[in-house]
Amino acid sequence: MYKKNYKIVIEGEFDIVPLRKKSVERYMILFLEFGILILFLYNFVGSITEANPVKNHYKIYNQNWILQFKNSNDVIDLPYTANIPKGESYLIEKTLEDPEGKADAIIFRSQQQKVRVWVGDELIYRYPEKRNKLEIVPGNWNLVKIPDDGKEKKIRIEFSSKYTAFSGRINEIYYGNYSEIVSDTRHKYLIPFMISAAIGIFGVAVMGTAFLNHRMKKRYTGKHNRTVYLGTVSEEILGMLLIIVSIWACGESKVPFSNISEITRYFITFSALMLIPIFFMAYMYIRIGENSPRIIVNLLKADILLFVFSMLMQVMGIYDFPQMLPIFHVTLGINFLTGIWCMRSQIRRGTGAFSRLEYAFVIIILLSIMMEITAFYCKRYQLIGIYIRVALLAYTLCMFLESVRRIYRTIRDNQTLTEQLNESRAELMLSQIQPHFIYNTLSSIRTLIKISPPQAYEMVYDFSNYLRANIESIRNKKIIPFSEELKHIQAYLNIEKVRFGDRVDVKYDIQTDDFYVPPLSVQPLVENAVKHGICKKPQGGTVAICTYETEEMYYVEIEDNGIGFQREKDQVKNGKGSGCSAGIDNIRFRVSVLSNAKLEIRSEVGKGTKAELMFPKADNRILLEEKETILFRKREKEGKV
């Protein structure tokens, strides 16, 4: 039987639905674990950045710079943001001081700004070195080597930006030995990059676990089972979302002097930022399913249109990505707030689409995004942005652990299903080989031996085929050709026609038999039609067996003109009542699990009963391919290939 925390739903399709009650203790433990992780990562990053060997150089060259803009000269400490209109140039200057005599370079980060550097009256550096067609000026790490005769001279750095959000911004300037500056700066920004990359790695892992989960589930639920399909697709989209977030975060980590050009990084980073709302809304839509609020669909369409519009504006040179940053930020906020609202609604309704833990982490991510955006627009923007990265990593770990947990549950459920299928197969076989049927058949054969030996001979042949088919069904044969099942049906009906004579009439309309069915999936329905349908009428009746196909389905119909069911419609549908065999539920379960088929039974009192089996062609092809693969490998081992 199933574990206590699971229930089974059989409505023509088979699925396992986890109960939604979660223990409070489990949430407390998970929150504690992630809280410890966040504190550890934050303290670790802080200790790394504070332990920078060139900290003394930072103090010297972050202080007492002179900002020159128009007619003003202000003494500032870096980093600093001045209120300067876009397109205007501004200078900072300071005398180069090197008490130890080892400094030979400066490095600083410019944010969508043009840069020129003078030592004395000599122009020694310019960024960008040449113009590009789109007039794009990406952010850049400016590594400027100081000439030997430039020490103790004044250094002047000129900035200008055509973007309001970045005009007037001046980041830290590091001055010292070239190799030390490069090494220490990379080291400082490597930690955020590694956290960002870890998000993508776990995103790939989430996609991998979703794929494995789908592969294990489809064996029992069928490839086109909507519940399984949507569940695994939502996990795959989540994995893609995490990968895109990782790409954006890696681009924003600003690791200096990577092999990727700044232009390439510029396009990749901003494209990933614009794709985040699209994949987030797609994840929400697939996760909730058909009952998704209309606002999710509308936002998804709007996000796609915004992405296309932004790309066109950038390529045509009308608006650059940095100019559209406010639109991106507003869009991101609206999408996240909508997602949180939808999550809360689903949790309150008890649909089981989202867990409270995931809901809590999304709120934490939203708060960290708000902190980052607020710092950006309040002119206190930091390059690292550690809060949002740690929050995203914690959420990613949470979802990865959930994916692993789902795989474990799937393995456990598959084992339970296998046990139930074996029990079902044995019960069905035992229900088919009933002692009174065997005794009556043997008694008929005994009588025919004296009256009509040729007819007795044929009946013994049919009876042996009938017994063989029932006994073989207990083996691990998942599917058989319908032609084999049809032989079993014919053997049974031949026996019954001998026993009951003209009271049993059979009509065949077999338009196709080139498909696969689970063993003993059709024959018991025929037996029900004979025993509980026409044989309960004094004059007997007719059993009609028909097969045909459409573009998507194979159909098998068993119809009789017997007494019909004397139960309500819902009980008839579920195969319950005095007029039906107790094995109907068993058949429904087996055909649903093994071939994703549906069984429908309709009956009318006094007029008869019709049972209809529907086998999806797509799943039938998959079963056939698997069977052919197994046979090929078996023959290959035997050396016959």
Side-chain angles (χ1 to χ4, degrees):
M1 299 301 292
Y2 288 94
K3 302 293 183 182
K4 290 184 178 180
N5 62 329
Y6 282 83
K7 64 182 179 181
I8 184 168
V9 178
I10 304 178
E11 290 290 345
E13 293 183 359
F14 183 80
D15 191 15
I16 294 179
V17 182
L19 297 182
R20 304 180 189 95
K21 294 183 178 179
K22 304 287 185 179
S23 63
V24 177
E25 293 82 2
R26 180 181 170 188
Y27 285 124
M28 291 177 64
I29 292 172
L30 284 172
F31 271 120
L32 181 62
E33 290 175 351
F34 284 116
I36 293 172
L37 174 66
I38 290 171
L39 289 174
F40 170 76
L41 289 174
Y42 180 74
N43 291 329
F44 178 68
V45 173
S47 63
I48 291 294
T49 55
E50 289 178 4
N52 202 306
V54 294
K55 185 177 178 181
N56 290 332
H57 292 303
Y58 298 166
K59 284 184 177 179
I60 293 173
Y61 285 93
N62 282 340
Q63 297 176 350
N64 300 323
W65 284 83
I66 298 175
L67 172 64
Q68 298 177 357
F69 176 64
K70 294 185 177 179
N71 297 324
S72 63
N73 292 289
D74 300 320
V75 178
I76 62 171
D77 293 334
L78 305 182
Y80 185 79
T81 301
N83 188 18
I84 297 174
K86 65 178 181 179
E88 297 283 349
S89 298
Y90 52 98
L91 286 165
I92 60 171
E93 67 174 27
K94 184 177 181 179
T95 301
L96 291 171
E97 299 174 359
D98 182 23
E100 298 178 2
K102 296 181 179 179
D104 59 357
I106 63 169
I107 182 174
F108 59 93
R109 177 80 186 177
S110 58
Q111 297 175 261
Q112 279 72 43
Q113 298 162 320
K114 294 180 180 180
V115 178
R116 290 193 296 176
V117 180
W118 291 268
V119 173
D121 296 327
E122 181 184 359
L123 179 65
I124 63 171
Y125 178 82
R126 178 197 298 270
Y127 174 78
E129 295 181 1
K130 56 184 179 179
R131 298 172 61 181
N132 53 66
K133 294 180 180 180
L134 297 177
E135 297 291 336
I136 296 173
V137 183
N140 183 54
W141 279 102
N142 301 276
L143 178 60
V144 184
K145 291 187 177 181
I146 305 300
D148 292 337
D149 61 349
K151 297 178 181 179
E152 306 301 329
K153 291 184 179 181
K154 278 192 176 182
I155 182 170
R156 290 183 300 152
I157 306 174
E158 180 188 65
F159 299 92
S160 65
S161 177
K162 64 177 181 178
Y163 311 117
T164 302
F166 298 99
S167 182
R169 294 178 183 269
I170 310 170
N171 290 306
E172 292 180 317
I173 296 178
Y174 312 144
Y175 178 42
N177 179 266
Y178 171 82
S179 59
E180 287 183 0
I181 289 179
V182 172
S183 176
D184 295 334
T185 307
R186 280 179 174 171
H187 188 67
K188 178 179 180 180
Y189 288 91
L190 185 62
I191 300 302
F193 178 82
M194 292 175 63
I195 295 175
S196 304
I199 295 170
I201 292 171
F202 281 109
V204 174
V206 169
M207 291 185 66
T209 54
F211 175 76
L212 291 175
N213 203 16
H214 185 221
R215 291 285 296 177
M216 288 187 292
K217 276 188 174 183
K218 81 172 185 179
R219 176 185 175 190
Y220 291 96
T221 58
K223 184 177 181 181
H224 298 280
N225 183 296
R226 186 166 179 78
T227 304
V228 174
Y229 176 74
L230 292 181
T232 53
V233 168
S234 67
E235 291 182 13
E236 291 169 359
I237 291 179
L238 175 62
M240 295 173 67
L241 171 62
L242 295 174
I243 293 171
I244 291 171
V245 169
S246 173
I247 292 171
W248 166 78
C250 288
E252 285 292 329
S253 62
K254 307 296 190 298
V255 176
F257 317 120
S258 61
N259 294 328
I260 301 176
S261 68
E262 291 296 342
I263 292 288
T264 304
R265 188 200 296 237
Y266 169 88
F267 274 101
I268 291 175
T269 302
F270 278 103
S271 298
L273 176 62
M274 291 185 294
L275 286 171
I276 289 173
I278 296 175
F279 278 86
F280 180 68
M281 282 295 104
Y283 169 66
M284 295 294 298
Y285 176 75
I286 298 296
R287 189 71 178 268
I288 297 174
E290 296 177 351
N291 297 322
S292 297
R294 187 66 183 172
I295 189 173
I296 290 183
V297 180
N298 292 335
L299 278 177
L300 180 58
K301 293 178 181 177
D303 293 337
I304 295 172
L305 289 175
L306 177 61
F307 176 80
V308 175
F309 172 79
S310 302
M311 294 298 292
L312 287 174
M313 292 298 101
Q314 176 64 82
V315 172
M316 295 171 65
I318 300 174
Y319 286 105
D320 293 341
F321 291 142
Q323 292 173 297
M324 292 181 281
L325 266 179
I327 299 176
F328 298 156
H329 291 158
V330 170
T331 302
L332 197 62
I334 292 174
N335 279 268
F336 264 86
L337 288 172
T338 304
I340 289 174
W341 173 76
C342 291
M343 282 186 177
R344 180 173 175 78
S345 299
Q346 294 295 313
I347 291 172
R348 292 184 66 179
R349 293 175 186 174
T351 61
F354 300 97
S355 67
R356 295 183 182 274
L357 187 62
E358 183 178 3
Y359 173 66
F361 271 114
V362 172
I363 291 178
I364 293 172
I365 292 172
L366 178 63
L367 293 175
S368 63
I369 290 174
M370 292 173 63
M371 290 175 60
E372 296 286 342
I373 293 177
T374 302
F376 179 84
Y377 287 103
C378 290
K379 309 295 186 179
R380 290 182 287 104
Y381 183 68
Q382 299 297 319
L383 292 176
I384 294 180
I386 194 66
Y387 299 106
I388 189 171
R389 285 176 172 80
V390 173
L392 286 168
L393 180 60
Y395 172 77
T396 305
L397 284 170
C398 169
M399 300 312 296
F400 172 69
L401 292 175
E402 278 295 324
S403 298
V404 173
R405 198 176 291 119
R406 277 191 284 270
I407 283 185
Y408 168 74
R409 288 200 298 260
T410 300
I411 294 173
R412 186 178 61 183
D413 295 339
N414 286 355
Q415 291 174 346
T416 305
L417 278 174
T418 301
E419 294 173 1
Q420 284 209 338
L421 284 172
N422 290 334
E423 292 175 4
S424 168
R425 189 179 295 111
E427 290 173 4
L428 188 59
M429 188 208 70
L430 292 174
S431 69
Q432 290 300 108
I433 307 178
Q434 298 179 16
H436 72 273
F437 177 76
I438 296 175
Y439 299 153
N440 291 337
T441 303
L442 291 174
S443 178
S444 298
I445 293 172
R446 181 171 177 270
T447 302
L448 288 173
I449 288 174
K450 293 182 177 180
I451 300 174
S452 176
Q455 195 174 6
Y457 175 82
E458 293 294 332
M459 192 170 183
V460 169
Y461 175 75
D462 289 330
F463 187 52
S464 65
N465 286 338
Y466 173 82
L467 291 177
R468 185 183 301 110
N470 279 277
I471 292 172
E472 286 183 354
S473 68
I474 200 171
R475 299 177 182 174
N476 291 327
K477 250 187 178 181
K478 290 184 180 179
I479 56 169
I480 60 172
F482 177 75
S483 55
E484 289 186 19
E485 182 78 356
L486 184 60
K487 290 178 182 178
H488 187 201
I489 293 169
Q490 291 170 337
Y492 167 75
L493 289 174
N494 289 340
I495 294 171
E496 294 294 66
K497 287 180 71 174
V498 171
R499 290 180 58 205
F500 295 103
D502 295 337
R503 291 180 61 201
V504 176
D505 184 26
V506 182
K507 292 182 179 179
Y508 295 97
D509 181 14
I510 308 301
Q511 299 177 24
T512 178
D513 62 358
D514 189 20
F515 60 98
Y516 282 75
V517 299
L520 288 180
S521 58
V522 182
Q523 189 275 338
L525 298 174
V526 175
E527 186 172 339
N528 276 332
V530 173
K531 288 183 178 180
H532 304 289
I534 61 176
C535 282
K536 288 191 176 182
K537 292 175 67 174
Q539 70 273 24
T542 302
V543 176
I545 302 168
C546 172
T547 66
Y548 61 95
E549 62 179 304
T550 62
E551 291 183 0
E552 297 181 353
M553 294 281 184
Y554 292 108
Y555 288 86
V556 180
E557 295 179 353
I558 300 95
E559 188 172 7
D560 67 78
N561 58 356
I563 62 171
F565 289 109
Q566 297 178 349
R567 293 286 176 180
E568 294 180 359
K569 184 178 179 180
D570 59 334
Q571 291 175 307
V572 172
K573 183 179 178 180
N574 290 322
K576 298 178 181 178
S578 59
C580 277
S581 167
I584 293 293
D585 286 333
N586 203 335
I587 297 168
R588 190 189 301 277
F589 169 71
R590 292 179 66 246
V591 298
S592 176
V593 172
L594 293 178
S595 56
N596 199 29
K598 293 181 182 179
L599 170 61
E600 292 184 359
I601 298 177
R602 295 182 292 275
S603 182
E604 190 173 349
V605 177
K607 292 187 177 181
T609 303
K610 182 177 181 179
E612 186 177 46
L613 281 163
M614 293 162 280
F615 297 92
K617 282 189 172 182
D619 294 278
N620 219 269
R621 283 195 296 269
I622 294 170
L623 294 171
L624 179 59
E625 289 171 3
E626 291 177 353
K627 189 176 183 71
E628 289 176 348
T629 302
I630 293 171
L631 290 173
F632 177 80
R633 289 176 180 173
K634 183 178 179 181
R635 294 166 71 186
E636 192 176 31
K637 288 181 180 179
E638 294 173 353
K640 296 180 180 180
V641 178

